[in-house]
Amino acid sequence: MALRKYAGYAWNMISLAGMVLAVTAAGLIIGFLSYEGITGVEKPYLGLMTYFLFPGMLIVGLLLVPLGAYLVRQRKRKEAEQNIPPFPRVDFNDPHKRHLFVFFVIASIGFVLLVSVASLKGFEFTESTTFCGELCHVVMSPEHTAWANSPHAKVKCVECHVGPGAAWYVKAKISGMRQLYAVAFHTYPETIETPIDNLRPARDTCEHCHWPEKFYAGRQKVFYHYAPNEQNSPREINMLINIGGTPKSAHSKGIHWHIGQKVTYISTDKKRMNIPYIRVEGKDGKITEFMDTEKPLTKAEIDKAVKREMDCTDCHNRPTHIYRAPGVEMDENFVSGHIDQSLPYMKKVAVEVLTRPYKTTEEAKATIAKEIPAYYQKNYPQVAQAKAKEIAKAVTEIQDIYGRNFFPQMKVSWNTYPNNIGHFYTPGCFRCHDGKHKNAEGRIISKDCNLCHTVLSQKQENIPEGVKTMPRDFVHPVDIGDEIMKTNCSDCHSAGGQDVPGGEAHKK
């Protein structure tokens, strides 16, 4: 048989299996690369096969061909069937060997090109958000979903978690091997712990785009809220946020002063919520230490403790992986018109059904689809009939809210991870600005709200129409007396996801 004669020692099961494997792998790589190039579709498991599995098959197949030929040649030498020299003779005058050599050169060039393209595309794939967020879809679903709905949705994961440079790339891939093992053998924690200890410093990542030296004096922002009552009463807070401070005022330093100075602190818990010690180094080199007056650390404890230099992520700790409270999500849907504000008690009913414990996302969405229409059928039958389409649309939007902020498989919900921007649902600013940190001279880190923001105006149901509130004075929707200055917002608001815990009781 001519083919068998032409194949020579490679005519054996091992070499033939290698040839089939290599040709199949090469065809699959070319086919899948062409499919991705034509359609632009990038899928995690498709990429995993195209850039890792198939090139591996190709290399293994090409190694099997000479291995099988070598084993056959060695066997024939031992059997002394022919006078076979220890090493092959390369004689280009022999047409058979000349053809083999030409085939080998062409095949080698093709192999190098194919593997090079697959390797480069494979590197690019490992840097993609598809690889980071969708490959381990159960584990990464909460973070990937939050990223996709965040202001940084166009920023790749690696730009923050890895950054430029070979050293951090190698560290990330070594860490990735441990994570791959954890996913493969289900040893990962059901809720991913934060903060991440080995995250690259913000000065190496965030500050590539954000320029701390160029702070604004202030930023005006209007916060739209709706009361959890029958009318879903609109509330509006017009606020000036002192990002860079207010010039020629007592609060001229502003929020971003914290990273304009060298500030270090000690936290006694992993989540950095309890901060008993703060150290500020002025530009003149003067050191000022602030201690928690209720639970001060001893000098020995301070010397021994790990100190962290404050950077962007100490406040902006959820810049991308943002989960929103159900009440906030409902506010945004009302103000955008996605949910009809005129539906009685819509905010309260939605928040209550969203915050119940569910075993699966499917169970939650089925309950939302059942109970919200049933509520209006029972309590407001005329509304249920007249606004059936609006209620159906509200159900869809509320199901989407659940899908963005609740992940039962990973035991993650909107309040699993504290967000240190602000102080409404978590202590945030009040971790240090609690009125309890004092230095040796008796100066206290102030809890004055106007350090960071100034209320310009307010509109809400307990402010009569036409009455202008005094600037800088925040009016709470419910009269709580002196508690507004004594109690942290998060002490009341952290649990339920409502603007007013409990809201107005149902009358029906």
Side-chain angles (χ1 to χ4, degrees):
M1 186 178 180
L3 182 61
R4 181 171 182 176
K5 182 179 178 181
Y6 193 81
Y9 295 130
W11 189 264
N12 61 81
M13 291 303 296
I14 296 176
S15 297
L16 290 174
M19 291 178 195
V20 172
L21 192 64
V23 171
T24 302
L28 289 170
I29 293 171
I30 294 170
F32 280 41
L33 284 174
S34 301
Y35 171 77
E36 183 181 313
I38 293 169
T39 63
V41 174
E42 189 178 82
K43 295 183 178 180
Y45 297 106
L46 193 67
L48 191 66
M49 291 187 293
T50 306
Y51 307 128
F52 298 101
L53 178 60
F54 298 153
M57 287 171 54
L58 176 62
I59 293 170
V60 170
L62 292 176
L63 290 174
L64 288 176
V65 175
L67 175 64
Y70 172 79
L71 293 175
V72 170
R73 191 172 187 276
Q74 289 299 101
R75 179 171 55 80
K76 288 189 175 183
R77 284 193 69 218
K78 289 180 180 179
E79 292 174 354
E81 293 180 3
Q82 304 174 28
N83 185 17
I84 302 173
F87 301 98
R89 295 191 181 97
V90 180
D91 184 0
F92 290 151
N93 294 309
D94 183 347
H96 175 67
K97 292 183 178 179
R98 187 168 63 249
H99 295 160
L100 282 177
F101 178 78
V102 171
F103 173 78
F104 175 78
V105 170
I106 294 173
S108 297
I109 293 172
F111 167 76
V112 170
L113 288 174
L114 198 59
V115 171
S116 297
V117 170
S119 298
L120 289 172
K121 293 288 289 182
F123 170 78
E124 182 182 333
F125 175 65
T126 61
E127 298 283 282
S128 69
T129 53
T130 301
F131 177 83
C132 296
E134 297 180 36
L135 194 61
C136 304
H137 57 91
V138 174
V139 181
M140 292 306 301
S141 179
E143 301 302 314
H144 185 261
T145 303
W147 164 83
N149 291 286
S150 79
H152 290 88
K154 296 294 183 182
V155 179
K156 291 183 178 180
C157 309
V158 294
E159 293 184 44
C160 294
H161 288 269
V162 181
W168 280 92
Y169 178 82
V170 172
K171 288 180 183 178
K173 296 311 169 187
I174 292 173
S175 176
M177 294 298 291
R178 294 195 298 268
Q179 293 164 6
L180 181 62
Y181 174 87
V183 172
F185 294 95
H186 208 282
T187 60
Y188 57 86
E190 288 186 322
T191 303
I192 305 299
E193 293 185 359
T194 60
I196 301 172
D197 294 327
N198 59 349
L199 189 66
R200 193 164 189 169
R203 288 174 175 84
D204 295 345
T205 53
C206 306
E207 293 184 16
H208 284 186
C209 297
H210 302 280
W211 194 355
E213 287 79 11
K214 298 297 180 182
F215 298 141
Y216 295 99
R219 177 188 173 193
Q220 186 177 2
K221 185 175 181 180
V222 180
F223 295 87
Y224 297 98
H225 300 290
Y226 294 82
N229 56 20
E230 187 174 24
Q231 296 78 28
N232 302 302
S233 302
R235 298 169 176 171
E236 185 178 305
I237 305 174
N238 185 5
M239 185 178 289
L240 180 66
I241 303 173
N242 304 324
I243 297 174
T246 306
K248 298 182 180 180
S249 75
H251 309 307
S252 59
K253 294 179 179 178
I255 299 168
H256 279 167
W257 169 88
H258 296 83
I259 55 173
Q261 303 287 322
K262 185 176 181 180
V263 180
T264 55
Y265 66 88
I266 295 172
S267 61
T268 55
D269 64 315
K270 183 175 176 58
K271 291 188 177 294
R272 302 170 186 162
M273 290 290 105
N274 184 32
I275 301 175
Y277 172 87
I278 303 156
R279 180 180 185 271
V280 180
E281 182 177 337
K283 295 187 182 296
D284 58 357
K286 181 182 177 181
I287 304 297
T288 306
E289 296 177 307
F290 292 89
M291 299 282 288
D292 186 341
T293 54
E294 292 186 351
K295 296 180 180 179
L297 299 179
T298 64
K299 188 178 184 307
E301 288 173 328
I302 293 172
D303 293 339
K304 184 180 178 181
V306 175
K307 299 173 183 66
R308 173 178 167 81
E309 183 175 350
M310 193 172 188
D311 68 12
C312 308
T313 58
D314 285 292
C315 292
H316 298 271
N317 66 315
R318 309 295 298 180
T320 299
H321 305 289
I322 304 168
Y323 303 97
R324 292 180 174 85
V328 173
E329 286 274 19
M330 290 300 297
D331 291 337
E332 292 182 358
N333 275 278
F334 281 148
V335 78
S336 64
H338 292 156
I339 296 179
D340 189 349
Q341 181 201 338
S342 67
L343 293 170
Y345 282 117
M346 173 49 78
K347 181 174 182 177
K348 185 174 181 61
V349 172
V351 171
E352 286 180 353
V353 74
L354 280 167
T355 51
R356 291 182 198 167
Y358 299 101
K359 293 182 179 179
T360 65
T361 300
E362 291 72 23
E363 179 190 352
K365 291 186 175 182
T367 303
I368 292 167
K370 177 184 177 182
E371 292 201 7
I372 289 180
Y375 172 81
Y376 288 100
Q377 287 286 352
K378 177 183 177 181
N379 297 292
Y380 298 92
Q382 292 181 341
V383 173
Q385 185 176 1
K387 296 204 169 188
K389 290 183 179 179
E390 288 81 355
I391 293 171
K393 189 174 187 303
V395 166
T396 301
E397 296 294 341
I398 294 165
Q399 288 175 328
D400 289 343
I401 290 173
Y402 189 90
R404 290 192 297 268
N405 299 287
F406 296 84
F407 303 87
Q409 285 181 289
M410 289 297 292
K411 297 183 179 178
V412 170
S413 65
W414 70 273
N415 57 356
T416 299
Y417 302 108
N419 189 342
N420 294 329
I421 285 294
H423 47 74
F424 197 72
Y425 292 114
T426 60
C429 313
F430 293 145
R431 293 175 298 161
C432 300
H433 289 267
D434 56 359
K436 299 175 184 177
H437 287 76
K438 184 185 294 186
N439 69 359
E441 299 169 357
R443 186 157 58 93
I444 295 174
I445 298 179
S446 177
K447 196 180 180 181
D448 182 3
C449 300
N450 293 302
L451 280 172
C452 296
H453 54 69
T454 302
V455 176
L456 302 178
S457 64
Q458 273 186 269
K459 296 177 183 177
Q460 59 196 32
E461 66 272 19
N462 64 335
I463 299 175
E465 189 174 350
V467 174
K468 291 186 177 181
T469 57
M470 294 295 292
R472 305 171 69 86
D473 292 333
F474 173 73
V475 179
H476 197 278
V478 177
D479 186 6
I480 57 174
D482 293 342
E483 288 300 316
I484 194 169
M485 296 304 297
K486 297 178 181 178
T487 306
N488 290 346
C489 307
S490 58
D491 291 345
C492 295
H493 293 278
S494 61
Q498 288 275 20
D499 287 338
V500 178
E504 180 183 330
H506 288 292
K507 296 177 181 178
K508 296 194 177 186

